[in-house]
Amino acid sequence: AKEFPVDDPALAAAATTKVNAPLSVQSDEHSTSAESSCAGGVSLSGPSDETIFFEVYLVTQSRLRTGLKRRDRRRLALQDGRLHIFEMCLSDEVEAIMDPFVNMAECKYDEDRMLSIGAQRLPEGASWEDGVFEHANYTFEFDSVELAAALYGRLVDAARG
């Protein structure tokens, strides 16, 4: 089991509870798309074999000012306990696939719809048996607090095994 830093114990407790968020179910019966503009109330604590998609902003440190800047819109998918991070501009190309139990070094969630993930990522052309990896840090801004908390809860649960 891994421990993940959480600044506020109340956030940790809230993130592990069932969170109802506005979702739309796509035509694939095992695929759910998380979009804040949709109506409905499907629980994110459903079956673990379903794929949940999130549309988020990738944010990075601003080069000109202090604080964070939105860089591009991304799609995330949580499938079979793994987080799929897609390329920019809502592409269908996967940039990284992360198993929280194996790859996630830290996961931080704040009350302002932000989720930060530190992970080990396999460089292109390498295999895990080579023993080489690179560190990757991602910060995502969600459309709602509920969606950020829901993904945080799922990632932490998967990381704890």
Side-chain angles (χ1 to χ4, degrees):
K2 297 180 182 179
E3 292 296 320
F4 297 94
V6 177
D7 298 329
D8 183 355
L11 282 178
T16 58
T17 60
K18 293 182 180 180
V19 178
N20 287 328
L23 301 174
S24 66
V25 178
Q26 295 179 347
S27 59
D28 178 3
E29 65 185 10
H30 295 294
S31 181
T32 306
S33 178
E35 298 177 22
S36 62
S37 61
C38 296
V42 179
S43 175
L44 281 178
S45 59
S48 60
D49 64 342
E50 68 184 351
T51 301
I52 303 171
F53 290 92
F54 299 86
E55 289 184 7
V56 298
Y57 288 100
L58 175 69
V59 295
T60 60
Q61 290 292 325
S62 174
R63 292 177 219 164
L64 303 176
R65 302 177 219 149
T66 60
L68 298 172
K69 176 180 169 87
R70 288 180 175 171
R71 295 295 171 187
D72 55 60
R73 195 80 166 145
R74 299 272 177 125
R75 185 176 294 123
L76 305 177
L78 191 59
Q79 178 181 19
D80 299 325
R82 291 193 170 130
L83 180 64
H84 299 248
I85 301 170
F86 291 83
E87 294 281 346
M88 65 179 160
C89 300
L90 301 175
S91 169
D92 290 332
E93 297 290 321
V94 175
E95 174 181 308
I97 299 174
M98 183 183 67
D99 181 341
F101 186 73
V102 176
N103 310 114
M104 195 164 67
E106 72 176 351
C107 187
K108 296 179 184 176
Y109 163 73
D110 69 19
E111 293 182 38
D112 197 26
R113 303 177 307 170
M114 304 293 260
L115 180 69
S116 298
I117 300 169
Q120 298 173 349
R121 188 170 64 186
L122 191 62
E124 190 172 330
S127 70
W128 287 111
E129 292 77 28
D130 296 335
V132 295
F133 59 88
E134 56 191 21
H135 295 282
N137 294 305
Y138 296 97
T139 302
F140 300 109
E141 180 183 358
F142 288 75
D143 291 334
S144 74
V145 173
E146 293 83 9
L147 292 175
L151 181 58
Y152 173 79
R154 288 257 178 127
L155 289 174
V156 170
D157 287 347
R160 290 182 178 150

